[in-house]
Amino acid sequence: MTLQNPRDVLTPEAITMLHVIQTTGSFAAAARQLGVVPTALTYRVRAIEDALDDLLFDRRSHRAA
């Protein structure tokens, strides 16, 4: 997989998406609020995490922390 530049993945829409995930505490709730499917959020967050080479959310529990 080709790593993306963080500037390419950290768009204003991505920042909003990350904020909604953080405030709702859940990928599913954020997806409902944003009008997308949860897998789309997961894919976008993984792309951002890959570009930053760091995990943004702890997914070990039912809440995205």
Side-chain angles (χ1 to χ4, degrees):
M1 174 168 51
T2 303
L3 292 179
Q4 293 182 324
N5 185 328
R7 287 182 176 179
D8 295 337
V9 295
L10 287 174
T11 63
E13 294 85 11
I15 299 298
T16 299
M17 175 195 68
L18 294 172
H19 176 72
V20 172
I21 294 168
Q22 188 272 325
T23 56
T24 61
S26 140
F27 280 70
R32 280 190 301 274
Q33 187 171 328
L34 295 168
V36 298
V37 295
T39 53
L41 291 186
T42 300
Y43 179 82
R44 297 267 323 261
V45 170
R46 285 227 170 98
I48 294 167
E49 290 175 333
D50 287 346
L52 297 174
D53 195 26
D54 201 3
L55 294 177
L56 299 177
F57 294 99
D58 180 358
R59 298 176 181 87
R60 292 179 289 183
S61 69
H62 291 289
R63 293 196 46 86

